[in-house]
Amino acid sequence: MHELSIMQGALNQALFEARQSGARRIHEIHLRIGVLSGVVPDALQFAFEAIAAGTPAEGAALTIENVPARFWCAACEREFEAANFFAECPGCHACGGELRAGRELELTSVVID
Amino acid sequence: MCEHCGCGLPGAEPVTISDHHHEHEHAHSHNHDHPHEHSHGHEHDESAAAGEERRTIEVRRAILEKNNLLAERHRGFFRARGLLVLNILSSPGSGKTTLIEETIRRLENRLKTGVIVGDLATDNDARRLRACGAPVVQINTGTVCHLDSQMVGGALKQLDLTGLQLLIIENVGNLVCPASYDLGEDLRVVLLSVTDGEDKPLKYPPIFQSANAVVISKLDLAKACDFNREMALANLRHLAPAAGVFELSAKTGQGMEAWCDYVLQQHQAAKTRDPLRV
């Protein structure tokens, strides 16, 4: 639901970076979005097209890397990727893992000229 | 179009923040930095552009950096005051306001409590909560589907914090968007009412996954709803294994004592923690 404002925030940061570098156009925007971030990548794509029009990012490719949820199991001393959002360790089947990745909402890079 | 969710509603409604001492409402323009990048009325020569070297700028910044930084600033402010701050989240109609009312009443002589309450419109909740004797600031978000740190910051300026020990932030009723926004709280409390159904945590994993405590509310209706308690608890154990679970009915009072004890314990911990320790 809030993807439009999240995308607006990412676009503002990208435009700022491009301006700082004296860029004329933004060709690519790369994001990392965690599965536990509460944000839907498809909705970001949709929002991007709507808000990039008329900016130096118009027509740019938006690439979204989905970051799976990763937990740390202290008992097994291992990190594991979670299936279905569950923090169940595949080794000991305990559910007390510490979340290490999966909440990302990050602007990773911008390709400009 | 609404700037936040693209829902098609007119999105020009300003966020308003009000307490009962002020008859007027302050309209704060909400913090969307609209990019004022306009095309300059000339076309770039495509062939020249193609000759330009493309460069990659590594940014690696949180999209919600502004919100997160402000939230951390608030967290430091709260800690320095020894204030315990709860961010209460649930779907609309799960009993957030009733739980807060009953919590204020029961802790009346032990914890001085203030409330910041967010809704799209009306001050109905604020009026209910004020009737419990607590200072309350209502945030009307217009069409915005969640509270953010900036709105909370605006509300804090209007809330009488004198002697306050517990601050409860009642978020906009929504199980999706508020999950993404840190408000500087100590604890996220997510409500699952028996009328929501035992599988709600599976349908909305991010918000339940982020919970420090889960309140199963409206327990008095469990039987009428055929609420599967075991299934609900199993789902919560899988998604939020570290979260404390409180089963209660704010209406009948069942389970309220354990919940209030928990809040008191957490306040004790908040009072004695080192404000500089992250």
Side-chain angles (χ1 to χ4, degrees):
Chain A
M1 242 170 111
H2 58 317
E3 277 79 0
L4 199 58
S5 62
I6 300 273
M7 196 57 239
Q8 186 75 63
L11 177 62
N12 289 351
Q13 278 184 7
L15 291 168
F16 174 79
E17 295 293 338
R19 241 187 342 261
Q20 294 290 100
S21 304
R24 290 196 303 176
R25 278 195 61 196
I26 295 177
H27 294 278
E28 295 171 33
I29 294 177
H30 295 263
L31 307 179
R32 291 180 82 230
I33 304 295
V35 293
L36 286 172
S37 66
V39 170
V40 181
D42 280 354
L44 287 178
Q45 288 280 7
F46 182 75
F48 177 67
E49 282 169 35
I51 61 175
T55 76
E58 184 170 345
L62 177 68
T63 312
I64 298 174
E65 181 196 339
N66 295 306
V67 185
R70 294 193 71 83
F71 292 86
W72 169 255
C73 177
C76 301
E77 294 191 331
R78 64 181 277 191
E79 205 175 84
F80 62 91
E81 195 169 303
N84 305 324
F85 303 104
F86 286 171
E88 184 180 310
C89 172
C92 63
H93 300 288
C95 280
E98 174 200 327
L99 186 68
R100 291 252 166 117
R103 285 258 174 81
E104 291 79 359
L105 280 176
E106 187 185 90
L107 173 64
T108 35
S109 62
V110 187
V111 178
I112 56 165
D113 71 22
Chain B
M1 181 167 67
C2 160
E3 279 271 315
H4 280 266
C5 58
C7 58
L9 289 168
E13 293 284 324
V15 172
T16 59
I17 297 172
S18 59
D19 66 17
H20 70 131
H21 301 299
H22 296 73
E23 283 302 307
H24 60 282
E25 290 201 331
H26 303 276
H28 294 258
S29 69
H30 187 55
N31 182 37
H32 316 301
D33 286 343
H34 298 277
H36 293 286
E37 295 284 343
H38 304 289
S39 59
H40 298 291
H42 60 269
E43 289 297 317
H44 294 290
D45 184 284
E46 281 302 318
S47 57
E52 286 270 344
E53 190 88 357
R54 288 193 182 184
R55 290 175 289 145
T56 301
I57 312 171
E58 296 292 335
V59 187
R60 293 202 156 271
R61 272 167 58 187
I63 297 169
L64 293 175
E65 187 179 56
K66 232 174 182 172
N67 182 78
N68 298 348
L69 289 174
L70 196 52
E72 282 305 333
R73 186 173 159 172
H74 289 157
R75 189 170 279 116
F77 172 76
F78 297 144
R79 291 197 168 189
R81 298 185 77 98
L83 196 59
L84 175 69
V85 182
L86 309 181
N87 182 5
I88 311 267
L89 307 128
S90 82
S91 52
S94 291
K96 291 185 294 300
T97 310
T98 307
L99 173 68
I100 297 168
E101 281 176 315
E102 200 50 30
T103 305
I104 294 170
R105 283 204 190 96
R106 284 173 178 258
L107 294 177
E108 197 179 6
N109 299 319
R110 290 177 285 179
L111 282 185
K112 187 165 160 44
T113 304
V115 186
I116 293 173
V117 52
D119 281 298
L120 268 64
T122 81
D123 67 344
N124 292 354
D125 283 359
R127 280 192 275 125
R128 275 173 62 185
L129 292 161
R130 260 173 221 134
C132 306
V136 181
V137 173
Q138 173 83 49
I139 300 175
N140 282 142
T141 60
T143 53
V144 183
C145 47
H146 58 270
L147 293 182
D148 66 27
S149 291
Q150 177 146 357
M151 298 179 208
V152 170
L156 280 174
K157 291 195 181 97
Q158 292 192 42
L159 189 67
D160 182 8
L161 295 164
T162 319
L164 222 59
Q165 295 161 299
L166 171 64
L167 173 63
I168 301 180
I169 303 172
E170 181 183 337
N171 218 310
V172 177
N174 179 345
L175 278 177
V176 186
C177 316
S180 303
Y181 294 83
D182 183 8
L183 302 181
E185 70 270 17
D186 292 295
L187 299 169
R188 272 190 184 198
V189 181
V190 181
L191 267 66
L192 165 68
S193 78
V194 298
T195 53
D196 282 334
E198 59 280 341
D199 60 347
K200 211 57 165 241
L202 302 184
K203 293 175 177 168
Y204 298 86
I207 207 156
F208 284 96
Q209 209 281 332
S210 73
N212 300 108
V214 175
V215 169
I216 297 178
S217 61
K218 305 192 184 184
L219 210 57
D220 52 303
L221 298 178
K223 206 168 171 199
C225 297
D226 282 332
F227 181 68
N228 187 334
R229 176 178 180 266
E230 293 311 317
M231 187 67 83
L233 293 175
N235 291 339
L236 290 172
R237 261 198 307 279
H238 272 95
L239 273 170
V245 178
F246 300 89
E247 299 168 70
L248 56 82
S249 162
K251 196 175 170 189
T252 65
Q254 184 188 357
M256 278 303 293
E257 210 171 303
W259 161 250
C260 288
D261 285 347
Y262 171 74
V263 174
L264 284 167
Q265 275 166 20
Q266 293 296 321
H267 173 254
Q268 204 55 34
K271 229 172 53 176
T272 51
R273 76 195 155 199
D274 179 353
L276 294 180
R277 203 169 149 246
V278 180

